[in-house]
Amino acid sequence: QVQLVESGGGLVQPGGSLRLSCATSGSISSIYAMGWYRQAPGKQRELVARITRLGSTNYAESVKGRFTISTTNAWNTVYLRMNSLKPEDTAVYYCNADPCSRDVCTHPGYWGQGTQVTVSS
C-alpha cells in the first residue's frame, strides 16, 4: 500500500511560479515512477510530468520548458516546480505512484487527493 498527499496549490497570477509537493509513505520501494497529472473543469485528466527510478523524465508539450519534476533520494517527497504559469494551467493537480517498469503493466497505480492550482489576475 502506498499513500500520497499533495500540497502547495493556491492562487497565483499569470507569469508567476508555484511549487507542488507530494509526500509519500508505505511501500515506496515497489514504485518505479512518480508523476503529476492535472484535471481542468470539463476536461479529462492528463499527464503533466513523470520521473522514473533511472532518472528519465517526460513532460506534456504544453508545460515543457516551464515545469520541472524532481524527487528526494529516498523518494519520500516528489516536487513539481511550475514557472511562467498561464491561466490554462488552472486545474486540480494529482500525484501518482506507478509500480510498472514496462509499458505492458496494467497495475492502476496509486493516487493522491489532489491540490487546486488557480492562475488568474
Side-chain angles (χ1 to χ4, degrees):
Q1 186 65 230
V2 173
Q3 296 81 42
L4 307 171
V5 180
E6 301 98 331
S7 62
L11 176 64
V12 64
Q13 294 185 352
S17 298
L18 206 61
R19 187 180 73 166
L20 306 183
S21 298
C22 175
T24 69
S25 61
S27 301
I28 299 301
S29 61
S30 67
I31 299 301
Y32 175 72
M34 297 293 301
W36 286 95
Y37 290 71
R38 68 186 181 188
Q39 187 167 20
K43 300 180 67 176
Q44 298 296 314
R45 188 172 300 185
E46 65 173 348
L47 174 69
V48 176
R50 187 172 185 265
I51 186 168
T52 73
R53 292 284 188 178
L54 300 179
S56 62
T57 56
N58 186 37
Y59 296 92
E61 287 296 323
S62 60
V63 308
K64 196 171 297 182
R66 299 188 297 121
F67 291 10
T68 303
I69 188 171
S70 63
T71 69
T72 59
N73 286 340
W75 277 39
N76 59 305
T77 309
V78 183
Y79 301 102
L80 183 68
R81 168 60 69 179
M82 304 183 293
N83 296 323
S84 302
L85 283 162
K86 306 174 180 179
E88 48 263 45
D89 294 318
T90 296
V92 177
Y93 284 71
Y94 297 91
C95 184
N96 170 257
D98 183 4
C100 298
S101 60
R102 307 289 186 187
D103 290 341
V104 296
C105 179
T106 59
H107 194 287
Y110 305 91
W111 296 90
Q113 82 288 349
T115 185
Q116 177 71 48
V117 173
T118 303
V119 185
S120 176
S121 299

